[in-house]
Amino acid sequence: MKFSAALDVNVVAHEADDEVTVMLELEAPAGPPTAARAPSALQIVLDRSGSMHGAPIEGAKQALITLVQRLEPTDVFGLVTFDDDAQVVVPAGPLTDKPAVIERIRGVHPGGCTDLSSGYLRGLRELRRATKASGIRGGTILVVSDGHVNAGIRDADQMADVTAQASRDRIVTSTLGYGHGYDETMLSAIARSGNGNHVFAENPDAASTAIAGEVDGLLSKVAQAVSITVHYEPQVQMLQLYNDLPANQIGDGQVMIDLGDLYAREERKLLLRLGVDGMAALGVVQVARLDLQYVEMPDLVEHTVSLPISVNVVPGDELGDRIPDPTVQSEKLFQEAQSAKLEASKAFESGDLMAGGEFLARSRERLNDAVGIAPAGSADAIRVELADVDRMSEMSELSGAMYMSKMTRDSYHQQNRKRGRRRPQ
């Protein structure tokens, strides 16, 4: 696993409050090319409420049939559907009889209300049972829903607590919001706490593509339970994570950030801000240590990579004019643009098109500033994001608040929570 850090400034003033921004970059290993892929476990939790009638349910069923055809007989697959309550359509287990599984998928039909929690909890139980029986450690749950929850657990934070607990057992939860009527706050919170992905699929074709992308990642997974623990010194009085990832204080001066699973050669970026108080010692001082921990597949070997973060403390009159590293500074502006995009999504979700447009304009300003200082390689990627924000701004006048809230939330997830991630080819 490649793991590196860069600071916007590495010189701070003696006995004066200051701050530094740290950009972390990871790249997962390729994995042994000749080794047989370890069996994977995938549990689908599919909304079959009445709103899924017609093209949505038929498109989802066809996507799941294609998914089953791609998996190996040794892979664990299960399907739970939910409307007023949960139904086990395909008991989770190895795919030893694909034709029978496909026939059961074809038999799914729409029902009544939307009790997502019953479907998720039943699917979680199925996955845990099957992985224990097969000896597979961990797995993935993909929730597919097109509506707002109107039965069972309706509080997003409560559902997020459930997926967070599953994540601690190496079960990743991803969500796919289907159409224009789903609850992006609920599905996004579930995916965040579950260390998975949140994707917006406008129509059956987009849903098929999104499901295929999830399977691509699952089948090329090379690292599980990836986390970064920040061990910071007493001089660090403030720690901010720009990326909206699960982070927990696990001890004095220790914060653990969960990244979930990584597929082969996946790249990720994280941004931290450290506020330091006046340091008495002159010279190079270590202010933090970063421990990257992960389980490498398929042999399930645990690894730890440590990276010290140090600054050079100099007298104030020797500080001079500090010029921040352009790569780190442009990434900071990029993430400020993502924060504005999230606020746009919340405004659109509440029906306020004007406020949403204003937040997108703010996002565009930050991206323009980032392009102006970024090195050539980084600037090209930021221009792509800038074009995407421009496109969303233009669409907001025509597409309506409901559509825009979902599009902007999906984009925020990719560019903030999963920053640097590329879809597997």
Side-chain angles (χ1 to χ4, degrees):
M1 182 87 73
K2 296 180 180 178
F3 184 39
S4 63
L7 278 66
D8 62 341
V9 293
N10 57 13
V11 177
V12 298
H14 179 232
E15 295 185 333
D17 293 346
D18 211 333
E19 66 177 48
V20 295
T21 302
V22 185
M23 185 178 74
L24 309 178
E25 294 186 277
L26 298 84
E27 183 179 344
T34 58
R37 178 176 65 81
S40 297
L42 175 62
Q43 175 71 46
I44 303 295
V45 177
L46 175 64
D47 184 348
R48 71 172 195 100
S49 60
S51 59
M52 287 285 285
H53 178 77
I57 194 73
E58 295 304 319
K61 285 158 61 174
Q62 187 53 53
L64 295 183
I65 290 170
T66 301
L67 181 161
V68 167
Q69 291 169 336
R70 290 184 59 192
L71 297 176
E72 296 294 331
T74 52
D75 290 322
V76 164
F77 174 83
L79 171 61
V80 166
T81 59
F82 65 92
D83 55 349
D84 302 276
D85 52 20
Q87 309 87 31
V88 178
V89 177
V90 178
L95 276 168
T96 53
D97 189 351
K98 288 188 180 183
V101 169
I102 290 171
E103 196 59 33
R104 290 190 176 202
I105 293 172
R106 287 189 172 127
V108 173
H109 59 273
C113 297
T114 306
D115 186 350
L116 187 153
S117 60
S118 70
Y120 182 82
L121 292 170
R122 191 68 181 89
L124 181 59
R125 193 191 326 162
E126 279 290 298
L127 184 62
R128 283 178 166 150
R129 174 190 58 75
T131 52
K132 182 178 180 180
S134 62
I136 298 174
R137 296 182 68 182
T140 297
I141 297 178
L142 175 60
V143 179
V144 182
S145 179
D146 79 328
H148 279 251
V149 175
N150 51 26
I153 299 174
R154 305 185 192 187
D155 183 77
D157 290 338
Q158 279 187 274
M159 278 301 302
D161 288 342
V162 176
T163 59
Q165 179 57 55
S167 175
R168 288 189 279 273
D169 297 333
R170 297 187 185 176
I171 294 175
V172 170
T173 302
S174 289
T175 59
L176 189 155
Y178 206 161
H180 295 186
Y182 68 89
D183 184 343
E184 56 269 40
T185 295
M186 172 69 82
L187 294 191
S188 182
I190 289 172
R192 176 191 180 276
S193 294
N195 274 322
N197 304 308
H198 169 62
V199 183
F200 165 42
E202 182 179 3
N203 51 51
D205 288 342
S208 295
T209 300
I211 290 172
E214 284 299 307
V215 176
D216 287 340
L218 176 70
L219 300 186
S220 63
K221 189 183 298 183
V222 294
Q224 280 187 316
V226 183
S227 68
I228 295 175
T229 300
V230 183
H231 302 265
Y232 54 93
E233 298 298 327
Q235 296 96 328
V236 176
Q237 297 297 306
M238 181 272 293
L239 173 62
Q240 177 189 354
L241 173 65
Y242 281 79
N243 308 79
D244 186 14
L245 295 169
N248 295 287
Q249 190 91 28
I250 59 172
D252 290 339
Q254 299 179 63
V255 171
M256 186 171 68
I257 305 165
D258 290 318
L259 281 76
D261 299 341
L262 302 183
Y263 61 71
R265 294 197 182 282
E266 178 175 355
E267 298 175 2
R268 297 285 293 276
K269 288 184 181 180
L270 282 80
L271 202 65
L272 298 169
R273 185 158 66 110
L274 303 179
V276 296
D277 63 7
M279 289 187 283
L282 290 169
V284 177
V285 177
Q286 181 173 315
V287 293
R289 187 186 82 243
L290 309 178
D291 288 346
L292 171 66
Q293 296 176 303
Y294 62 98
V295 178
E296 187 174 6
M297 300 179 69
D299 299 325
L300 301 179
V301 178
E302 297 189 13
H303 296 272
T304 300
V305 181
S306 295
L307 198 63
I309 303 298
S310 300
V311 295
N312 188 17
V313 183
V314 301
D317 58 0
E318 297 180 15
L319 194 61
D321 294 327
R322 294 184 299 182
I323 300 176
D325 179 277
T327 300
V328 180
Q329 186 65 12
S330 63
E331 181 65 20
K332 181 178 178 180
L333 290 166
F334 186 96
Q335 287 306 331
E336 289 175 355
Q338 301 314 308
S339 295
K341 189 192 296 178
L342 176 60
E343 294 305 314
S345 178
K346 292 177 180 178
F348 288 134
E349 189 176 9
S350 69
D352 194 336
L353 277 168
M354 181 177 293
E358 291 172 353
F359 280 117
L360 284 180
R362 187 178 304 175
S363 179
R364 190 182 194 286
E365 290 174 2
R366 295 293 187 275
L367 292 170
N368 267 325
D369 292 342
V371 167
I373 63 172
S378 302
D380 290 342
I382 296 171
R383 288 190 185 95
V384 171
E385 168 69 1
L386 183 56
D388 195 40
V389 169
D390 284 342
R391 180 173 60 89
M392 287 189 284
S393 296
E394 293 171 3
M395 292 182 65
S396 66
E397 300 177 3
L398 303 172
S399 301
M402 186 178 292
Y403 177 84
M404 291 307 304
S405 67
K406 292 162 177 58
M407 174 176 281
T408 48
R409 192 69 60 97
D410 175 277
S411 178
Y412 168 78
H413 176 90
Q414 294 301 323
Q415 299 295 352
N416 174 275
R417 296 180 185 168
K418 301 289 180 175
R419 172 66 171 144
R421 183 182 193 266
R422 297 170 296 169
R423 292 288 184 188
Q425 303 297 315

